Amino acid sequence: MAEFTHLHLHTDYSLLDGACDVEKLVQRVSDIGQKAVAITDHGNIYGAVHFFDAAKARGIKPILGCELYISQKEDHRADPQGDDNNHLLVLAENEEGYRNLVRITSEASLHGFYRKPRVSKRYLAEHSAGLIGFSGCLAGELCENLMKGNYSAARATAAQYQDIFGRGNFFLEIQDQGLELEKKIHADLFRLEKDLDIPLVATNDSHYLCEDDSHAHEVLLCVQTLASINDPKRFKFDSDQFYVKSAAEMDRLFSHAPEVVSRTMQFAERCSLKLTKVENPFPEFAVPPGHTIDSYFEQVCREGLKKRLETTVRNLEARGVLRSPVHEYETRLNFEIGIIKQMKYSGYFLIVWDFIKYARDHGIPVGPGRGSATGSLVAYAMGITNIDPMQNVLLFERFLNPERVTMPDIDVDFCQNRRGEVIDYVTRKYGREQVAQIITFNTMAARAAIKDVGRALDMP
């Protein structure tokens, strides 16, 4: 059982600095001799790729999942007033499961959000292929029914989820974080296992890495909920056992039923998801007949520079304030075009040029440019930016460097009143499946963390 004795469920990723946090999680798992680990954040999979890469780099098998919020209403898109939710754990067994997990979490956030990103059982049933389901923690519907003493309702819930996921793909979940409520329902969980022939599996609900981190976690919860550590009514966990436990610790907790621990081995073997980077993530830009992507990109660049030279640059030269001779513009443009072609980013520049051109043609205000892209003469020539990098002595290498291959990042600002028109244009042109809006994650930097923690600790 040394390879994978139980699931480590790490569920507070969104509160912490993700890239750093998953590294520490993988290090902790490695230190205690585990060969596989699952990440199952609440309601989202934001940490999945960082976690997957970090685990692979360390030689640990990554398992991706999510602790979903299941709507108590039949339709999560219906009027949400009065609705509540229950937790349900799912793991992606393969690529199909991961795609369904993406669909489910996206649907929950876009159309089911009411306090939490909810999704209905009906939607889950339609997208359950490739997923392994578990009954959840104390906040799960099954456990809530058992805590109320309603065994028949818990039995019906388990049977319903077995229908949703299929026999062999749904499991009862048993936990022991030192809570009396958990121990109170253990006997009924074993009874359900026997009644329905659904295997019982021990899981560990981990919200922090080590037992010593429990106080820091309490403070973090205070920061999150704007509460004081001295407030007896604040939201807190009733135990300091929500940490990543070793196999030996789990064996001791369930020494009376070792099979619920050993069963977790199968999930390390069953879950075989592979995430591969897309070679060319950009949608295809349609070029005029007789052109390739590279040749059309070069034509747009050269025609754009010609216009710039005929207007702005010549005016600066006439006033005697031009910092770089005109012939240096041609040299710099040739250099940048060569690098961009070499890195296969011609299509990306054409896509950005096209939607900025659309905005200007339709009177939608567009910013002059900011960030490292202002160091590109190609961006200036194409009208993507309006800042001359030659005149302002800006470096192209800060934007693109063939020795440090990274995706280009051109920051573009549109008028907030009409930016939706540009998004609609891009969606119509390339297809809904090719367009997405991205998220920005706020992390706790040192200065803000000190202020927030001080406030939580009631320090003046």
Side-chain angles (χ1 to χ4, degrees), residues 270-291:
R270 283 182 61 176
C271 295
S272 56
L273 173 66
K274 295 178 181 178
L275 292 183
T276 54
K277 290 186 177 179
V278 179
E279 287 297 321
N280 179 21
F282 307 122
E284 194 69 33
F285 183 86
V287 298
H291 276 289

Side-chain angles (χ1 to χ4, degrees), residues 87-359:
H87 296 188
L88 183 80
L89 173 66
V90 295
L91 299 179
E93 185 173 9
N94 47 39
E95 285 76 10
E96 183 181 21
Y98 179 69
R99 285 194 294 270
N100 275 326
L101 192 55
V102 171
R103 291 187 183 100
I104 291 166
T105 53
S106 297
E107 173 70 19
S109 291
L110 290 171
H111 304 294
F113 200 96
Y114 177 65
R115 297 180 180 149
K116 301 292 184 182
R118 308 161 306 130
V119 69
S120 66
K121 290 179 185 176
R122 184 172 61 192
Y123 191 88
L124 175 64
E126 293 169 354
H127 301 86
S128 63
L131 293 175
I132 304 171
F134 300 80
S135 58
C137 57
L138 289 179
E141 181 183 356
L142 185 146
C143 289
E144 277 193 355
N145 285 321
L146 291 181
M147 286 187 289
K148 293 174 184 175
N150 194 341
Y151 180 82
S152 60
R155 192 180 192 280
T157 298
Q160 184 180 24
Y161 277 120
Q162 189 174 47
D163 288 342
I164 288 173
F165 290 98
R167 181 166 289 277
N169 294 322
F170 177 70
F171 297 85
L172 301 175
E173 200 172 337
I174 187 168
Q175 297 184 352
D176 188 348
Q177 273 79 224
L179 305 179
E180 284 304 315
L181 284 173
E182 290 174 332
K183 293 180 172 64
K184 179 183 175 182
I185 65 172
H186 279 184
D188 280 336
L189 285 170
F190 282 103
R191 180 184 168 192
L192 267 177
E193 176 186 39
K194 186 174 291 187
D195 282 356
L196 294 175
D197 193 26
I198 300 176
L200 193 57
V201 175
T203 65
N204 187 45
D205 197 2
S206 306
H207 288 251
Y208 41 89
L209 299 183
C210 303
E211 191 171 4
D212 293 345
D213 295 331
S214 62
H215 179 65
H217 182 255
E218 278 197 82
V219 177
L220 184 65
L221 290 176
C222 289
V223 172
Q224 183 192 16
T225 57
L226 303 178
S228 163
I229 195 78
N230 298 313
D231 181 0
K233 296 181 179 179
R234 65 183 168 84
F235 172 70
K236 62 178 179 179
F237 285 22
D238 295 326
S239 159
D240 61 359
Q241 297 299 299
F242 288 83
Y243 66 94
V244 178
K245 295 185 177 72
S246 68
E249 288 174 298
M250 292 296 288
D251 285 338
R252 283 195 296 271
L253 283 174
F254 295 99
S255 58
H256 59 289
E259 70 279 1
V260 300
V261 178
S262 61
R263 281 182 188 137
T264 58
M265 282 289 294
Q266 65 176 294
F267 305 110
E269 295 162 1
R270 283 182 61 176
C271 295
S272 56
L273 173 66
K274 295 178 181 178
L275 292 183
T276 54
K277 290 186 177 179
V278 179
E279 287 297 321
N280 179 21
F282 307 122
E284 194 69 33
F285 183 86
V287 298
H291 276 289
T292 64
I293 286 285
D294 283 342
S295 69
Y296 189 60
F297 160 71
E298 185 169 347
Q299 177 180 306
V300 172
C301 288
R302 298 200 182 283
E303 289 178 353
L305 181 63
K306 183 180 178 182
K307 290 179 182 176
R308 293 289 196 187
L309 292 176
E310 289 172 350
T311 54
T312 311
V313 176
R314 291 298 184 192
N315 289 336
L316 293 172
E317 187 179 42
R319 286 159 47 201
V321 293
L322 186 65
R323 289 191 175 185
S324 300
V326 171
H327 71 270
E328 290 187 4
Y329 279 79
E330 229 17 275
T331 303
R332 170 77 170 261
L333 188 74
N334 289 336
F335 168 74
E336 290 191 18
I337 287 174
I339 294 295
I340 291 167
K341 284 183 177 180
Q342 175 188 327
M343 298 178 77
K344 297 182 170 36
Y345 292 147
S346 300
Y348 172 75
F349 275 84
L350 286 172
I351 290 168
V352 177
W353 162 77
D354 177 67
F355 66 68
I356 288 178
K357 182 176 180 297
Y358 172 86

